[in-house]
Amino acid sequence: MTNRAQVEVDLSAIAANIARLKLHAGVPLLAVVKADAYGHGLIPVAKTAIAAGAQWLGVALLEEALAIRGAGITVPTIAWLVPPGSDYVSAIEAEIDLAVPSIMIFKEVSLAARSVKKRARIHIEVDTGMTRGGFLDEWESFLDLLVSNRNDVEIIGMFSHFARADEPGQVQNVAQLKRFIEMSDDLNRIGVEPEIHHLSNSAATLVDASAHFDLVRTGIAIYGLTPDLDHLGTSAHLDLKPAMRLRAKLHLVKEVLAGTPVGYGATAFTTSETKLGVVAMGYADGIPRIAQGAGVFVAGRRAPIIGRVSMDQFVVDLGRDSTAQAGDWVTVFGAGSEGEYTADDWGKASASINYEIVTRIGPRVPRIYKLATS
Ligand SMILES: *Cc1c(COP(=O)(O)O)cnc(C)c1O
């Protein structure tokens, strides 16, 4: 077991966030656990989510859904990025719900269902204005096709995704909601009435009650992170508890003079005599190479990054009178309540967002779990 870096996941924080979001939404909740549960660990998070009241799970990939079934988890689970040519037979046999966003996929799923004599559980995915997933130009032809050709599928749901739910009051949200209802009416007109309509991500779950319908799909918020720092505020402002803390070891501490160049390209120089700390994590572990303006928390204070992040390590300016020593643990990011940097700070420091920071921590960093207490 490594003792140079670790992700600590507080499952009780995830359970608390889910309970809070469920209460707020007032409808069933689907926990989005794609991308290894946003880097927090697929199976531990999936189990925690269900115990905390999530009735559904959602993932992008078929492999992710199959891993959930492989762990003995049987709650309804949707996979929404299962491209043409995928092993739809396995999905149908494992009772995985599939998003259907195109005629091509509808036909392949239907064929797979016929071959195993079992109806596929599908959710019709409609493009209401994000111009990414879901039916757009093919919609009328798909409706025509559905009129006479839907015996191989069980149409469980219809859904869409917001492009700007993190910007309350944006007119595009109103337009997407309106289009969603129109497309639902189109289905009803040909006698298709899915039981479950779902449209809301975390941001819409938090701020737009008119978009909750029958199920909300919450991702980032269950991990205690804000969907949008600028428009919706911090985790604390949203009453969410960040579940992930990233820690690493200080590999070296060294005293240097003012004017000392640091790192590849000598892109930074010390401005005064100081102590530098070498942190045993780098871009191969998911620390963005371009990050500037974040750092670590050690010996009671923040120590900012100095110079470029390398593959396995980066350097921080500890300050001349720091008491930090080689071998100490530093907090790269956490909830922020003790002065440490947050995933939001790291997102900002690398022209990105908290989503990218937590999902990109590499596989060589072990996940350590603090169990949810019930
Ligand atoms: C990722 C994703 C979500 C969750 O989004 P958050 O902003 O993390 O809540 C919901 N629905 C779909 C289709 C997604 O791809």
Side-chain angles (χ1 to χ4, degrees):
M1 177 61 83
T2 178
N3 65 349
R4 63 101 205 181
Q6 63 189 36
V7 164
E8 295 166 1
V9 178
D10 181 355
L11 294 172
S12 65
I14 293 174
N17 295 326
I18 287 175
R20 139 130 183 73
L21 289 161
K22 239 192 99 166
L23 196 67
H24 178 81
V27 298
L29 181 143
L30 174 151
V32 182
V33 292
K34 63 190 177 190
D36 200 28
Y38 290 44
H40 295 66
L42 175 60
I43 300 304
V45 171
K47 288 183 173 167
T48 300
I50 295 161
Q55 294 97 321
W56 285 75
L57 296 174
V59 290
L61 311 184
L62 176 56
E63 300 89 296
E64 295 171 326
L66 290 170
I68 286 169
R69 290 288 180 263
I73 298 168
T74 56
V75 302
T77 299
I78 313 179
W80 53 68
L81 200 93
V82 188
S86 294
D87 181 8
Y88 296 117
V89 164
S90 293
I92 295 163
E93 287 180 330
E95 311 232 319
I96 292 162
D97 290 25
L98 291 164
V100 167
S102 70
I103 289 176
M104 186 178 194
I105 290 177
F106 177 76
K107 286 183 172 167
E108 289 194 19
V109 168
S110 298
L111 207 63
R114 214 169 311 147
S115 78
V116 292
K117 299 191 169 60
K118 182 171 175 178
R119 291 169 96 197
R121 291 171 52 95
I122 68 165
H123 295 244
I124 297 170
E125 181 181 5
V126 295
D127 188 339
T128 52
M130 179 163 176
T131 322
R132 196 186 63 176
F135 283 98
L136 186 65
D137 54 326
E138 291 185 331
W139 184 237
E140 295 300 330
S141 333
F142 180 58
L143 291 172
D144 289 344
L145 181 63
L146 270 188
V147 168
S148 57
N149 197 336
R150 55 176 192 259
N151 291 334
D152 300 313
V153 297
E154 194 179 340
I155 302 172
I156 307 288
M158 85 166 258
F159 78 105
S160 187
H161 195 51
F162 278 122
R164 308 187 68 172
D166 50 349
E167 299 169 74
Q170 237 297 325
V171 290
Q172 185 170 334
N173 297 328
V174 182
Q176 283 199 248
L177 180 61
K178 181 162 169 276
R179 185 67 188 132
F180 189 68
I181 293 165
E182 283 168 8
M183 291 175 105
S184 165
D185 290 344
D186 289 343
L187 285 176
N188 294 348
R189 213 169 306 120
I190 60 163
V192 174
E193 297 186 355
E195 203 179 308
I196 303 169
H197 298 77
H198 46 111
L199 177 59
S200 290
N201 56 6
S202 293
T205 300
L206 288 162
V207 300
D208 186 359
S210 70
H212 290 173
F213 293 95
D214 309 306
L215 180 70
V216 293
R217 303 186 308 267
T218 49
I220 199 77
I222 71 174
Y223 306 101
L225 299 175
T226 177
D228 185 319
L229 192 58
D230 296 332
H231 294 99
L232 301 179
T234 61
S235 299
H237 178 76
L238 294 169
D239 199 15
L240 297 170
K241 296 186 168 81
M244 184 187 288
R245 181 160 78 137
L246 177 61
R247 298 205 303 159
K249 279 266 176 92
L250 267 187
H251 176 56
L252 300 168
V253 171
K254 51 184 68 173
E255 291 178 17
V256 298
L257 298 174
T260 305
V262 184
Y264 283 122
T267 55
F269 291 77
T270 54
T271 53
S272 59
E273 194 180 330
T274 190
K275 279 185 192 165
L276 299 181
V278 178
V279 181
M281 263 197 112
Y283 61 74
D285 301 302
I287 301 294
R289 180 171 177 272
I290 61 159
Q292 288 297 325
V296 304
F297 188 79
V298 62
R301 67 161 78 143
R302 288 182 168 200
I305 299 177
I306 177 166
R308 272 191 197 141
V309 171
S310 309
M311 188 183 294
D312 314 294
Q313 49 195 311
F314 63 96
V315 180
V316 295
D317 189 345
L318 296 165
R320 190 174 181 168
D321 55 352
S322 171
T323 57
Q325 294 180 10
D328 285 354
W329 283 104
V330 304
T331 300
V332 180
F333 64 79
S337 49
E338 283 150 29
E340 71 274 34
Y341 291 97
T342 61
D344 292 317
D345 293 327
W346 276 91
K348 261 198 163 153
S350 38
S352 186
I353 50 176
N354 54 20
Y355 291 75
E356 190 172 356
I357 298 300
V358 294
T359 53
R360 294 187 68 175
I361 297 170
R364 66 182 192 175
V365 183
R367 273 66 175 166
I368 310 285
Y369 294 96
K370 195 172 144 195
L371 294 182
T373 45
S374 48

